[in-house]
Amino acid sequence: MKNSRITITVVLILPIVLFAQTIENIDEIAPFSEGLAAVRRGEQWGFINKQGALAIDFRSDLYWNKDADISKSDVTGVLYPVFREGRCLIKKMEHGIPLFGFIDMEGKTVIEPQFLNVTQFDMGYASAVRCIKMFKGSKEFKFKLYDYEFDDVLVEPSGKIAEFLGKRENIQMTKKRYKLPTVRSKMLSENLIAVRIPDQGWEIRRLHH
């Protein structure tokens, strides 16, 4: 008799649990990748798991581009938020210029937004244009001055820079003059990377593990 009462209790609770996991008012649903699918509500995205539960809550920093060219491997090709090798792009605006970083599959920021352009992770790395901002001083009215350094880099999922691929010049960091810099490298295999040298074509390099 005791066992019968336990069974009835479970049956009564089950529909309530299923109902509590319903997610409503969704405007767009992306395909599953690595066990999670991005869902959009207005201008915010979140992620659901394969049980339909919200694994990462709706937020405004998940990067997407409704006009994406999906043939591109950098940020211009990201149509909706997606995980690649456990990392998903996020975007932060700083003085009108977008900086890109990554979260993990728990929604934690593991690579702070610091890249002007970056690819999705592939074969353990992402190619990126890194921006380093250095405080130079202040002028009247407390107007702050900064210097910038730019590097082509290869990034590990931890955020560690695996390879410095070269310096970048002539990137204007003002909103009116800024243009998205191109990523000049791409992975060929787990040990090889192609780096484009201006006016010289592509150079194939072996990675230093």
Side-chain angles (χ1 to χ4, degrees):
M1 188 67 180
K2 185 177 180 182
N3 289 340
S4 299
R5 285 199 299 271
I6 293 173
T7 302
I8 292 170
T9 302
V10 171
V11 171
L12 290 174
I13 290 176
L14 185 59
I16 297 173
V17 172
L18 293 175
F19 180 78
Q21 293 178 341
T22 299
I23 303 171
E24 300 177 333
N25 301 318
I26 300 300
D27 297 310
E28 186 174 355
I29 305 169
F32 275 94
S33 175
E34 300 186 4
L36 297 177
V39 290
R40 181 172 64 84
R41 181 184 289 161
E43 295 299 309
Q44 293 190 329
W45 288 84
F47 280 93
I48 59 170
N49 59 27
K50 289 191 175 181
Q51 287 71 49
L54 197 62
I56 296 176
D57 203 358
F58 291 95
R59 50 197 287 177
S60 57
D61 62 344
L62 294 177
Y63 177 69
W64 64 301
N65 179 5
K66 64 181 179 179
D67 299 316
D69 177 354
I70 59 173
S71 68
K72 301 292 182 64
S73 60
D74 64 1
V75 298
T76 62
V78 179
L79 186 60
Y80 46 77
V82 64
F83 278 94
R84 294 282 186 262
E85 300 189 3
R87 298 292 180 263
C88 176
L89 275 166
I90 55 173
K91 181 182 78 171
K92 179 181 76 171
M93 298 299 295
E94 188 169 295
H95 305 299
I97 294 173
L99 297 175
F100 301 94
F102 291 88
I103 60 169
D104 64 15
M105 299 187 78
E106 295 181 350
K108 297 176 183 177
T109 300
V110 289
I111 304 177
E112 291 290 338
Q114 59 190 281
F115 307 119
L116 299 178
N117 199 353
V118 63
T119 66
Q120 302 275 25
F121 277 91
D122 181 37
M123 290 181 276
Y125 300 100
S127 296
V129 181
R130 185 177 67 160
C131 172
I132 301 176
K133 181 179 178 181
M134 299 166 292
F135 180 65
K136 187 177 180 180
S138 299
K139 278 192 172 182
E140 54 185 322
F141 306 113
K142 298 182 179 180
F143 182 74
K144 295 181 179 180
L145 299 175
Y146 295 94
D147 275 340
Y148 296 90
E149 288 185 0
F150 311 101
D151 301 290
D152 288 323
V153 295
L154 198 62
V155 189
E156 296 179 1
S158 65
K160 178 182 176 181
I161 303 301
E163 299 275 346
F164 288 91
L165 305 173
K167 287 286 186 183
R168 295 292 290 266
E169 305 290 342
N170 303 319
I171 298 176
Q172 299 291 328
M173 292 298 285
T174 58
K175 184 178 180 180
K176 289 183 178 180
R177 296 183 178 182
Y178 178 76
K179 293 183 179 180
L180 182 76
T182 58
V183 173
R184 293 180 178 173
S185 62
K186 57 183 178 181
M187 294 296 297
L188 300 178
S189 72
E190 294 181 353
N191 298 309
L192 295 177
I193 185 171
V195 180
R196 185 165 60 83
I197 310 300
D199 303 320
Q200 297 182 35
W202 291 92
E203 181 177 285
I204 298 175
R205 302 180 187 178
R206 183 177 295 275
L207 298 179
H208 302 96
H209 291 294

